[in-house]
Protein backbone atom coordinates (compact mmCIF):
# COMPACT_ATOMS: atom_id res chain seq x y z
CA UNK A 1 0.00 0.00 0.00
CA UNK A 2 2.86 2.37 0.84
CA UNK A 3 4.30 1.85 -2.64
CA UNK A 4 0.96 2.75 -4.26
CA UNK A 5 0.24 5.82 -2.15
CA UNK A 6 3.73 6.99 -1.17
CA UNK A 7 5.13 7.96 2.19
CA UNK A 8 3.30 11.25 2.59
CA UNK A 9 -0.08 10.25 1.17
CA UNK A 10 -0.15 13.32 -1.08
CA UNK A 11 -2.15 13.09 -4.30
CA UNK A 12 0.94 14.00 -6.29
CA UNK A 13 2.73 10.86 -5.02
CA UNK A 14 0.04 8.35 -5.95
CA UNK A 15 1.34 5.96 -8.58
CA UNK A 16 -1.36 3.31 -8.53
CA UNK A 17 -4.08 1.67 -6.48
CA UNK A 18 -4.14 -1.73 -4.81
CA UNK A 19 -6.66 -3.19 -7.26
CA UNK A 20 -5.07 -6.65 -7.40
CA UNK A 21 -4.73 -6.85 -3.61
CA UNK A 22 -8.34 -5.75 -3.09
CA UNK A 23 -9.71 -8.33 -5.55
CA UNK A 24 -7.59 -11.12 -4.06
CA UNK A 25 -9.02 -10.16 -0.67
CA UNK A 26 -12.56 -10.28 -2.07
CA UNK A 27 -11.89 -13.61 -3.77
CA UNK A 28 -11.16 -15.04 -0.32
CA UNK A 29 -13.55 -13.13 1.93
CA UNK A 30 -16.78 -12.96 -0.06
CA UNK A 31 -17.13 -16.74 -0.45
CA UNK A 32 -16.50 -17.01 3.30
CA UNK A 33 -19.41 -14.62 3.88
CA UNK A 34 -21.69 -16.54 1.53
CA UNK A 35 -20.83 -19.94 3.01
CA UNK A 36 -22.41 -18.78 6.28
CA UNK A 37 -25.87 -19.13 4.75
CA UNK A 38 -25.70 -22.89 4.13
CA UNK A 39 -23.73 -23.37 7.38
CA UNK A 40 -26.40 -21.66 9.46
CA UNK A 41 -29.09 -23.61 7.65
CA UNK A 42 -27.21 -26.84 8.36
CA UNK A 43 -27.63 -26.33 12.11
CA UNK A 44 -30.97 -28.07 11.60
CA UNK A 45 -29.70 -30.53 8.99
CA UNK A 46 -30.77 -28.52 5.92
CA UNK A 47 -27.38 -28.00 4.25
CA UNK A 48 -27.84 -27.76 0.51
CA UNK A 49 -24.57 -28.30 -1.29
CA UNK A 50 -26.24 -27.20 -4.53
CA UNK A 51 -26.99 -23.81 -3.00
CA UNK A 52 -23.43 -23.50 -1.72
CA UNK A 53 -21.99 -24.36 -5.14
CA UNK A 54 -24.24 -21.88 -6.96
CA UNK A 55 -23.40 -19.11 -4.49
CA UNK A 56 -19.65 -19.67 -4.74
CA UNK A 57 -19.60 -19.96 -8.54
CA UNK A 58 -21.67 -16.78 -8.93
CA UNK A 59 -19.42 -15.01 -6.43
CA UNK A 60 -16.23 -16.01 -8.26
CA UNK A 61 -17.76 -14.85 -11.57
CA UNK A 62 -18.70 -11.54 -9.93
CA UNK A 63 -15.20 -10.97 -8.54
CA UNK A 64 -13.28 -12.06 -11.66
CA UNK A 65 -15.51 -10.01 -13.99
CA UNK A 66 -15.15 -7.02 -11.71
CA UNK A 67 -11.37 -7.36 -11.63
CA UNK A 68 -11.04 -7.76 -15.40
CA UNK A 69 -13.21 -4.73 -15.95
CA UNK A 70 -11.76 -2.52 -13.26
CA UNK A 71 -8.15 -3.33 -14.12
CA UNK A 72 -8.83 -2.11 -17.67
CA UNK A 73 -9.81 1.34 -16.42
CA UNK A 74 -6.87 3.74 -16.15
CA UNK A 75 -6.52 6.94 -14.18
CA UNK A 76 -6.84 9.19 -17.21
CA UNK A 77 -9.25 7.33 -19.47
CA UNK A 78 -12.22 6.39 -17.34
CA UNK A 79 -14.76 4.37 -19.34
CA UNK A 80 -13.63 1.34 -21.40
CA UNK A 81 -15.58 -1.43 -23.14
CA UNK A 82 -14.00 -4.11 -20.95
CA UNK A 83 -14.71 -1.96 -17.91
CA UNK A 84 -18.38 -1.75 -18.81
CA UNK A 85 -18.67 -5.49 -19.56
CA UNK A 86 -16.90 -6.37 -16.31
CA UNK A 87 -19.32 -4.12 -14.48
CA UNK A 88 -22.40 -5.62 -16.15
CA UNK A 89 -21.34 -9.27 -15.74
CA UNK A 90 -20.35 -8.60 -12.12
CA UNK A 91 -23.71 -6.94 -11.40
CA UNK A 92 -25.59 -9.79 -13.08
CA UNK A 93 -23.73 -12.35 -10.93
CA UNK A 94 -24.53 -10.28 -7.81
CA UNK A 95 -28.21 -10.17 -8.76
CA UNK A 96 -28.15 -13.96 -9.22
CA UNK A 97 -26.70 -14.31 -5.71
CA UNK A 98 -29.52 -12.13 -4.39
CA UNK A 99 -32.05 -14.24 -6.27
CA UNK A 100 -30.62 -17.43 -4.73
CA UNK A 101 -30.68 -15.95 -1.25
CA UNK A 102 -34.17 -14.51 -1.48
CA UNK A 103 -35.67 -17.70 -2.89
CA UNK A 104 -33.77 -20.56 -1.23
CA UNK A 105 -32.76 -19.05 2.10
CA UNK A 106 -36.13 -17.44 2.78
CA UNK A 107 -37.95 -20.77 2.46
CA UNK A 108 -35.39 -22.71 4.49
CA UNK A 109 -35.20 -20.05 7.21
CA UNK A 110 -38.92 -20.39 7.97
CA UNK A 111 -38.38 -23.63 9.87
CA UNK A 112 -35.15 -22.51 11.58
CA UNK A 113 -34.97 -21.35 15.22
CA UNK A 114 -35.82 -17.66 15.66
CA UNK A 115 -32.21 -16.41 16.15
CA UNK A 116 -31.01 -18.26 13.06
CA UNK A 117 -34.01 -17.13 10.99
CA UNK A 118 -33.43 -13.50 12.03
CA UNK A 119 -29.69 -13.76 11.27
CA UNK A 120 -30.28 -15.31 7.84
CA UNK A 121 -32.78 -12.65 6.85
CA UNK A 122 -30.52 -9.83 8.11
CA UNK A 123 -27.43 -11.30 6.43
CA UNK A 124 -29.41 -11.49 3.22
CA UNK A 125 -29.99 -7.73 3.49
CA UNK A 126 -26.23 -7.17 3.77
CA UNK A 127 -25.80 -8.88 0.40
CA UNK A 128 -28.64 -6.83 -1.10
CA UNK A 129 -28.01 -3.39 0.43
CA UNK A 130 -24.44 -3.56 1.71
CA UNK A 131 -22.99 -5.08 -1.44
CA UNK A 132 -24.78 -2.42 -3.53
CA UNK A 133 -22.09 -0.01 -2.35
CA UNK A 134 -19.43 -1.77 -4.46
CA UNK A 135 -21.06 -1.22 -7.88
CA UNK A 136 -21.42 2.45 -6.93
CA UNK A 137 -17.68 2.68 -6.29
CA UNK A 138 -16.95 0.85 -9.53
CA UNK A 139 -19.33 3.06 -11.54
CA UNK A 140 -17.57 6.17 -10.27
CA UNK A 141 -14.49 5.15 -12.25
CA UNK A 142 -16.44 4.10 -15.33
CA UNK A 143 -17.81 7.55 -15.95
CA UNK A 144 -15.17 9.86 -14.50
CA UNK A 145 -11.39 9.98 -14.46
CA UNK A 146 -8.52 11.37 -12.46
CA UNK A 147 -6.69 10.54 -9.27
CA UNK A 148 -9.36 12.15 -7.09
CA UNK A 149 -12.03 9.85 -8.54
CA UNK A 150 -9.83 6.85 -7.78
CA UNK A 151 -9.48 8.05 -4.19
CA UNK A 152 -13.25 8.37 -3.88
CA UNK A 153 -13.62 4.80 -5.19
CA UNK A 154 -11.07 3.51 -2.66
CA UNK A 155 -12.87 5.34 0.16
CA UNK A 156 -16.21 3.84 -0.94
CA UNK A 157 -14.66 0.35 -1.07
CA UNK A 158 -13.05 0.71 2.36
CA UNK A 159 -16.28 1.85 3.99
CA UNK A 160 -18.20 -0.96 2.28
CA UNK A 161 -15.65 -3.56 3.41
CA UNK A 162 -15.81 -2.34 6.98
CA UNK A 163 -19.61 -2.27 7.13
CA UNK A 164 -20.17 -5.54 5.28
CA UNK A 165 -17.46 -7.77 6.70
CA UNK A 166 -17.76 -6.68 10.32
CA UNK A 167 -21.56 -6.33 10.38
CA UNK A 168 -22.18 -9.58 8.54
CA UNK A 169 -19.80 -11.50 10.79
CA UNK A 170 -21.32 -10.07 13.97
CA UNK A 171 -24.83 -11.08 12.93
CA UNK A 172 -23.72 -14.66 12.24
CA UNK A 173 -21.69 -14.80 15.45
CA UNK A 174 -24.52 -13.61 17.69
CA UNK A 175 -27.00 -15.98 16.06
CA UNK A 176 -24.78 -18.98 16.77
CA UNK A 177 -23.99 -17.69 20.26
CA UNK A 178 -27.71 -17.32 21.01
CA UNK A 179 -28.42 -20.86 19.81
CA UNK A 180 -25.52 -22.17 21.88
CA UNK A 181 -26.82 -20.37 24.98
CA UNK A 182 -30.32 -21.74 24.37
CA UNK A 183 -28.93 -25.29 24.16
CA UNK A 184 -26.99 -24.82 27.41
CA UNK A 185 -30.10 -23.60 29.21
CA UNK A 186 -32.07 -26.67 28.06
CA UNK A 187 -29.45 -29.07 29.43
Amino acid sequence: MKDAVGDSGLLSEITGFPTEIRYIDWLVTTPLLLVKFPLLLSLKGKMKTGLLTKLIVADVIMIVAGYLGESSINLNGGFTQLGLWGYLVGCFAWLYIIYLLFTNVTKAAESSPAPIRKALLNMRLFILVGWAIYPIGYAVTLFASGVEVQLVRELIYNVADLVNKVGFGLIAFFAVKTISTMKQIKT
Side-chain angles (χ1 to χ4, degrees):
M1 291 293 223
K2 180 184 81 57
D3 292 338
V5 177
D7 290 327
S8 70
L10 297 173
L11 287 177
S12 60
E13 287 190 17
I14 294 177
T15 58
F17 290 92
T19 303
E20 292 82 10
I21 296 168
R22 182 172 304 285
Y23 277 88
I24 290 169
D25 168 57
W26 289 340
L27 203 54
V28 172
T29 57
T30 57
L32 290 173
L33 294 176
L34 291 173
V35 79
K36 287 181 177 88
F37 287 99
L39 286 175
L40 285 175
L41 288 172
S42 72
L43 290 175
K44 293 300 259 183
K46 298 178 215 147
M47 177 81 159
K48 290 185 175 180
T49 56
L51 173 62
L52 176 61
T53 303
K54 289 175 187 174
L55 286 170
I56 300 301
V57 168
D59 184 62
V60 169
I61 290 169
M62 177 182 69
I63 300 300
V64 170
Y67 172 72
L68 291 173
E70 195 167 327
S71 65
S72 75
I73 300 169
N74 64 42
L75 292 177
N76 301 320
F79 180 88
T80 66
Q81 288 291 331
L82 183 56
L84 179 61
W85 279 108
Y87 179 78
L88 293 174
V89 170
C91 286
F92 179 75
W94 169 58
L95 292 172
Y96 181 64
I97 291 169
I98 291 168
Y99 167 78
L100 289 172
L101 294 176
F102 274 78
T103 56
N104 295 302
V105 172
T106 303
K107 291 179 211 169
E110 290 173 359
S111 60
S112 295
I116 298 299
R117 180 176 51 254
K118 183 178 178 185
L120 288 166
L121 299 179
N122 285 334
M123 287 167 29
R124 203 181 52 169
L125 290 175
F126 268 93
I127 305 300
L128 175 65
V129 179
W131 284 18
I133 300 168
Y134 298 102
I136 294 168
Y138 190 117
V140 164
T141 58
L142 277 177
F143 302 106
S145 61
V147 173
E148 295 83 8
V149 171
Q150 304 297 319
L151 288 172
V152 169
R153 178 196 66 197
E154 292 303 314
L155 180 62
I156 291 169
Y157 285 168
N158 287 331
V159 168
D161 278 352
L162 180 67
V163 168
N164 287 305
K165 292 175 184 176
V166 173
F168 195 94
L170 286 173
I171 288 173
F173 171 77
F174 285 114
V176 172
K177 184 173 171 81
T178 303
I179 289 295
S180 176
T181 303
M182 289 169 58
K183 286 181 180 178
Q184 289 176 356
I185 292 172
K186 287 182 182 179
T187 57

